[in-house]
Amino acid sequence: MAQQQDDVFKKIVSHAKEYGFVFQSSEIYDGLSAVYDYGQNGVEMKNNIKRYWWEAMTLLHENIVGIDSAIFMHPTIWKASGHVDAFNDPLIDNRDSKKRYRADVLIEDQLAKYDDKIAKEVAKAKKRFGESFDEAMFLQTNARVLEVAAKRDALHARFAKAMNDNDLDELKNIIVDEEIVCPISGTRNWTDVRQFNLMFKTEMGSTADGAMTVYLRPETAQGIFVNYLNVQKTGRMRIPFGIAQIGKAFRNEIVARQFIFRMREFEQMEMQFFVRPGEELQWFARWKEWRLRWHKALGMGDEKYRYHDHDKLAHYANAATDIEFLMPFGFKEVEGIHSRTNFDLSQHEKYSGKNIKYFDPELNENYVPYVIETSIGVDRMFLSVLCSSYEEQELDGGDRRVVLHLPEALAPVKCAVMPLVKKDGLPEKARQIVNDLKFDFATHYDEKDSIGKRYRRQDAIGTPFCITVDHQTLEDNTVTLRERDSMAQTRVNISDLHKLIHDRVSLTALLRKLAD
Ligand code: ATP
């Protein structure tokens, strides 16, 4: 990570703590690695993200319904899904620093270094040639760039093959050949690459024969698969239809990095969409587009998103893409969209011995449906919103402020009501306004400190509107409405507040954008 971006990220992490968004878990016991708690503002924002996703799925699509399945499931489910045998990451240790890494991540970082080199050459040339610089031409003809690109492409091909073949020796060879060093010790004293299963195990009950080993689910999807026929039958659903679920997932990640980007306990929002065999790639393309629309509707900047199609397909998939978001540490996966074929359902049919075929009344045929999955991490989504909203602003007159330009529908607090002074009946009037607005919007009342300080406090948690009650309010029932981003202040009638705020902060307005 470039130093400057690294500093910004550190500031975002401490801001998240200072303003009650995210705390390290068990902090007073020195923390628990890669586990985090959400504070008073964090939980509100997280709930808003979940609501936005849930309503976009279940209100806007009449053929999508939700479920809430248990975290514990019959252990054979994880045998059938392939997680017991194949939910592994390739792990490597550096003997000098005793640090553990994911071999694939070390190689991906090396690929990113080649990309950085090319970007630096482009930046240098841009400076040199100024206006007349033709970037596409430069990338195709510059000898230095071509040399680096050839190395990157060769590494990419070799890496993709090793991952697809599950060839651990080859992953080690790549690390040796590329002369990758441990970022801590700076040495190349590596162990062999080994597989490491990411599922957490625990024990359930105690019988004469001993307890049963159960797993904490590493994804919510399987709870949907094993219930798909229950929902289809009781809800009289017809294919194509979808089932949505939000819930916790657990992965014993080898390396915990980048705050809430990679956690050991996290939350997923997953939707499995059941379709006719042969139609899955059409639906895959549709969901790819719909999901990107959902992200872009938040208005955080279209240029911050890109698709990344997978080279290495999971054992169950016939197409897969990630939606990546530009974090301070580069473009990173926030959501995965996978065409999972009929793999999971067929496996559950095989392992359970039950017939779970769907009867298609139009085709008059029984079949195991194909599945398109959209899977997004709540916490990664939260991080992308936080990072993209954070700004330190220099203001006129030498003043400074830290502001979170949160998408208004996701902001934890929608408006703050402030009496200009703590006397003359202004607090009472302000309380009346709070009592009117609080049924529809998360509303704060604040009378402490100067009005400037109170504005800064709300800016720091991303509150879109501040409402100030002054002496004029008592005379004509108007207040000052201050907007977070522009800091513009307008005089409005109290009776207009509700509509003004609602039009900007409601989820409905956001959802309407998706339906257009
Ligand atoms: P990665 O390659 O980053 O490990 P993945 O491809 O294994 O992720 P999926 O299994 O596709 O991830 O999970 C779907 C989504 O769940 C991801 O896009 C991400 O948003 C989220 N997610 C996965 N693992 C974690 C984690 N350890 N911490 C937080 N979110 C996660």
Side-chain angles (χ1 to χ4, degrees), residues 122-138:
V122 170
K124 259 200 294 184
K126 226 181 215 162
K127 235 184 181 171
R128 207 172 337 125
F129 295 114
E131 285 285 287
S132 62
F133 181 63
D134 179 344
E135 185 170 331
M137 177 68 92
F138 180 79

Side-chain angles (χ1 to χ4, degrees), residues 263-275:
M263 304 156 89
R264 296 203 166 102
E265 172 178 344
F266 59 102
E267 206 163 355
Q268 287 186 317
M269 306 190 279
E270 296 199 298
M271 193 280 302
Q272 311 292 328
F273 199 72
F274 300 90
V275 304

Side-chain angles (χ1 to χ4, degrees), residues 87 89 102 218-219 251 253 260-268 270 310 316 322 333-336 338 373 375-381:
F87 194 55
D89 273 342
R102 262 172 66 177
E219 61 174 29
R251 296 183 187 178
E253 299 281 0
I260 55 172
F261 182 80
R262 190 172 299 286
M263 304 156 89
R264 296 203 166 102
E265 172 178 344
F266 59 102
E267 206 163 355
Q268 287 186 317
E270 296 199 298
H310 282 213
Y316 50 74
D322 296 335
E333 169 182 346
V334 173
E335 170 156 9
H338 310 122
E373 161 181 270
S375 173
I376 167 170
V378 180
D379 314 270
R380 277 197 199 171
M381 183 64 203

Side-chain angles (χ1 to χ4, degrees), residues 238-375:
R238 283 196 174 186
I239 271 183
F241 71 92
I243 304 178
Q245 164 153 247
I246 300 179
K248 289 273 182 149
F250 304 83
R251 296 183 187 178
N252 198 1
E253 299 281 0
I254 296 170
V255 197
R257 285 205 303 190
Q258 284 141 347
F259 191 39
I260 55 172
F261 182 80
R262 190 172 299 286
M263 304 156 89
R264 296 203 166 102
E265 172 178 344
F266 59 102
E267 206 163 355
Q268 287 186 317
M269 306 190 279
E270 296 199 298
M271 193 280 302
Q272 311 292 328
F273 199 72
F274 300 90
V275 304
R276 279 186 187 156
E279 293 185 359
E280 71 275 11
L281 292 180
Q282 270 158 268
W283 283 107
F284 174 73
R286 274 193 156 170
W287 277 106
K288 217 173 132 170
E289 197 204 312
W290 281 345
R291 291 306 303 147
L292 190 58
R293 249 178 118 179
W294 181 89
H295 286 274
K296 286 186 173 174
L298 288 168
M300 298 197 291
D302 290 2
E303 71 292 349
K304 290 184 185 153
Y305 300 91
R306 70 178 189 195
Y307 290 120
H308 170 242
D309 294 325
H310 282 213
D311 296 317
K312 186 199 178 208
L313 292 175
H315 56 277
Y316 50 74
N318 71 356
T321 199
D322 296 335
I323 293 178
E324 295 187 336
F325 186 82
L326 185 57
M327 304 272 191
F329 40 93
F331 272 100
K332 295 287 164 189
E333 169 182 346
V334 173
E335 170 156 9
I337 299 150
H338 310 122
S339 173
R340 290 180 81 129
T341 69
N342 60 358
F343 174 83
D344 301 89
L345 292 180
S346 303
Q347 287 291 99
H348 289 310
E349 190 162 57
K350 190 166 123 196
Y351 277 78
S352 68
K354 306 270 172 13
N355 173 5
I356 55 172
K357 288 192 179 53
Y358 167 78
F359 175 71
D360 191 325
E362 277 170 47
L363 300 180
N364 200 19
E365 212 180 274
N366 286 301
Y367 55 79
V368 178
Y370 272 51
V371 175
I372 305 303
E373 161 181 270
T374 71
S375 173

